Amino acid sequence: MGNCLSSEGRNFAVGGSSNIPNTQVSNDVVDLFFRSRGILDSLLYTNFELSLSASNLRNRSVFSKSEPLVVVYTKEDGLWQELGRTEVVLNSPILQWITKIKVSYFFERVQTLLFRVYDVNTQFHGPEVKTIKLDDLQYLGECSCQLSQIVTNQRRSWTTDLEIIAESTMSTKPKKLGQLTVHAEDELISKTTVELTFKCSDLENRNLFFKSECFLIISKYVESGATIPICRTEVLKNILNPQWKPILLNMSQVGSKDSPLIIECFNFNRNGKHDLLGEAQTSLAELEKLSITLQGENLSVPIYVGKDRCSKVVKSQLFVIKFSECVHHNFLDYVAAGCEINFMVAIDFTASNGNPRMPDSLHYIDHSGRVNAYQKAVLDVLDVLQFYASNEEFTAWGFGGRPINGPVSHCFNLNGSSNKTT
């Protein structure tokens, strides 16, 4: 077989070494990855998350509101490449998408972004948005800008009117297509995730013939004082004391446990103009206290006295049934803590592989140095795993063959050792 090493007494696979590597030392695999792409010394970039909102979108249908999604493109080598898609939501006077679009900002590059808005027909609500064919959707308009226009703004926000530019649309340009706003935030990566289960009690019934259809929106505040939605629950129908399915919030979405949040409870309306049933100004730290004390927090609704905005407390309450915080370690965390990956391979020596002396055999050894299929497979795997085994010894077995001076065996060492335990 060649290039295979059989090691006696090496029967561990993961965690076989008690030596914890120095985490300050650069990782060979990561370095190799970047060097192979010539970008090891070009890591001067910032990762951003783009939040999208729109207002006054036009309706393509006379009898129903638009149900839009936004597709974001970036120009690479003169061609538009899709960067990401939002979810589909019902249109309302001010529309906010939950899904964030991730982009890396390079100071030295001109990075053009294109935002196209589509109306999604009801028949396409089932599939994942990434599988929807855009040619089947109704085009509502688009706009473009340089990424630097967004991130260099004091508020890191950019608003513009939508236009019709796509060749596939009609030539007559409506006067008002709506506006799109893009807000950029630094992407923070956190390994801490919080699982929350919410319940509300005594919600106001806003429907005449049936009970309210309720959902929650959780938003965070940004530096400008505006709010950005980060999570939305499902809609629960015909209930005034709803308990929603658990939701997951990554700490990077929130900022910290003390970062201010606003939780809004709405009554769902199919026209997109949802009724606010109550809201709570809170934080993850306060939500954790609610889960421990089993107490509820009263919701309030905003009222205006002249130009002043006040809050009126209502009888509805918000409860936190479950608050669970956990840390999700990534692969390199396990490597840094001393876990190792070992590699064992078993080679098929049965007659189905053909005569190893003939070129059509999978075991054929080419004297020109070209590796056969078995050698290539093993070497490709070893190229990846060699960095994760400190001893760099990899056990190799054979089966369905006759070792030297021995009977046919279905488990033997390729180095000829007779030890059956290694």
Side-chain angles (χ1 to χ4, degrees):
M1 191 47 214
N3 293 308
C4 291
L5 171 65
S6 180
S7 172
E8 298 186 16
R10 297 289 184 181
N11 55 5
F12 64 87
V14 179
S17 172
S18 61
N19 297 324
I20 299 178
N22 183 359
T23 57
Q24 301 301 317
V25 179
S26 61
N27 184 280
D28 291 337
V29 177
V30 176
D31 289 351
L32 179 62
F33 174 84
F34 285 125
R35 284 196 196 98
S36 66
R37 289 156 177 79
I39 57 176
L40 185 60
D41 298 323
S42 303
L43 301 180
L44 300 179
Y45 64 89
T46 304
N47 289 327
F48 283 97
E49 288 184 333
L50 304 181
S51 300
L52 306 178
S53 61
S55 59
N56 302 317
L57 292 183
R58 66 189 178 117
N59 298 317
R60 292 296 297 265
S61 174
V62 177
F63 302 104
S64 63
K65 292 283 187 178
S66 295
E67 299 177 339
L69 69 80
V70 183
V71 184
V72 183
Y73 300 87
T74 183
K75 184 169 284 188
E76 298 286 347
D77 298 325
L79 300 175
W80 289 113
Q81 304 290 336
E82 184 174 322
L83 194 61
R85 303 183 183 187
T86 67
E87 77 279 13
V88 180
V89 296
L90 287 176
N91 189 14
S92 61
I94 298 179
L95 177 67
Q96 292 181 312
W97 286 275
I98 299 293
T99 303
K100 314 302 179 188
I101 306 299
K102 297 183 179 182
V103 60
S104 296
Y105 167 69
F106 295 85
F107 169 77
E108 71 278 10
R109 298 183 190 175
V110 175
Q111 296 173 264
T112 305
L113 299 179
L114 173 65
F115 304 87
R116 281 187 176 160
V117 185
Y118 294 89
D119 183 15
V120 180
N121 297 325
T122 305
Q123 60 176 315
F124 297 115
H125 281 192
E128 293 287 337
V129 291
K130 63 182 179 181
T131 65
I132 297 176
K133 294 182 179 179
L134 300 180
D135 292 339
D136 296 331
L137 307 182
Q138 291 183 315
Y139 169 79
L140 296 180
E142 65 184 67
C143 57
S144 63
C145 71
Q146 306 299 326
L147 180 57
S148 56
Q149 288 181 256
I150 304 172
V151 301
T152 58
N153 183 283
Q154 271 193 337
R155 295 190 173 188
R156 286 190 177 171
S157 184
W158 174 80
T159 301
T160 191
D161 294 325
L162 292 173
E163 299 178 345
I164 284 189
I165 303 175
E167 297 178 354
S168 60
T169 60
M170 57 185 180
S171 58
T172 303
K173 176 183 175 182
K175 292 182 179 180
K176 295 182 180 180
L177 303 178
Q179 289 185 316
L180 184 74
T181 297
V182 185
H183 182 85
E185 290 184 284
D186 291 347
E187 182 187 16
L188 302 175
I189 300 176
S190 175
K191 298 172 185 175
T192 303
T193 300
V194 177
E195 181 179 339
L196 293 156
T197 302
F198 289 107
K199 177 182 178 180
C200 280
S201 65
D202 299 319
L203 292 177
E204 179 185 358
N205 188 18
R206 294 289 185 91
N207 297 325
L208 183 60
F209 300 107
F210 50 89
K211 295 179 181 178
S212 294
E213 301 179 355
C214 314
F215 68 96
L216 299 178
I217 293 181
I218 303 175
S219 304
K220 68 176 179 180
Y221 289 91
V222 294
E223 293 180 1
S224 64
T227 58
I228 298 294
I230 57 176
C231 187
R232 190 196 313 259
T233 68
E234 76 277 15
V235 177
L236 295 182
K237 298 182 179 181
N238 198 30
I239 186 170
L240 298 180
N241 296 284
Q243 179 173 321
W244 292 273
K245 295 178 181 179
I247 61 173
L248 293 176
L249 289 179
N250 188 274
M251 196 62 73
S252 60
Q253 295 177 275
V254 179
S256 71
K257 294 185 74 170
D258 295 318
S259 298
L261 301 173
I262 180 171
I263 301 178
E264 298 168 296
C265 183
F266 289 94
N267 175 45
F268 177 83
N269 287 316
R270 301 190 185 281
N271 61 7
K273 298 179 180 179
H274 310 304
D275 302 316
L276 179 63
L277 301 178
E279 64 183 27
Q281 304 282 342
T282 185
S283 66
L284 285 181
E286 293 176 359
L287 293 176
E288 185 176 22
K289 292 179 182 178
L290 289 180
S291 70
I292 295 174
T293 60
L294 301 179
Q295 295 180 342
E297 179 170 341
N298 283 96
L299 301 180
S300 62
V301 293
I303 58 174
Y304 291 89
V305 181
K307 294 183 178 180
D308 297 329
R309 185 181 188 274
C310 305
S311 295
K312 175 186 176 182
V313 177
V314 296
K315 66 177 182 179
S316 306
Q317 287 190 311
L318 175 72
F319 294 87
V320 182
I321 304 302
K322 179 180 180 180
F323 185 101
S324 176
E325 186 176 347
C326 60
V327 177
H328 297 275
H329 296 286
N330 60 31
F331 174 72
L332 291 180
D333 290 333
Y334 287 97
V335 174
C339 290
E340 296 194 4
I341 300 177
N342 214 319
F343 173 74
M344 294 187 293
V345 61
I347 308 300
D348 180 5
F349 283 93
T350 58
S352 61
N353 291 284
N355 188 338
R357 295 180 177 84
M358 302 300 294
D360 60 349
S361 171
L362 294 176
H363 280 232
Y364 177 68
I365 303 298
D366 192 332
H367 297 291
S368 68
R370 185 175 61 180
V371 296
N372 61 38
Y374 277 96
Q375 289 173 309
K376 186 178 186 305
V378 173
L379 291 174
D380 286 348
V381 175
L382 284 177
D383 282 344
V384 175
L385 298 183
Q386 62 179 318
F387 299 102
Y388 303 104
S390 60
N391 58 19
E392 296 186 358
E393 295 181 354
F394 308 102
T395 306
W397 305 85
F399 67 93
R402 188 189 303 275
I404 299 175
N405 300 324
V408 173
S409 174
H410 293 292
C411 184
F412 57 90
N413 280 298
L414 290 187
N415 65 359
S417 171
S418 60
N419 191 335
K420 298 298 184 181
T421 62
T422 62

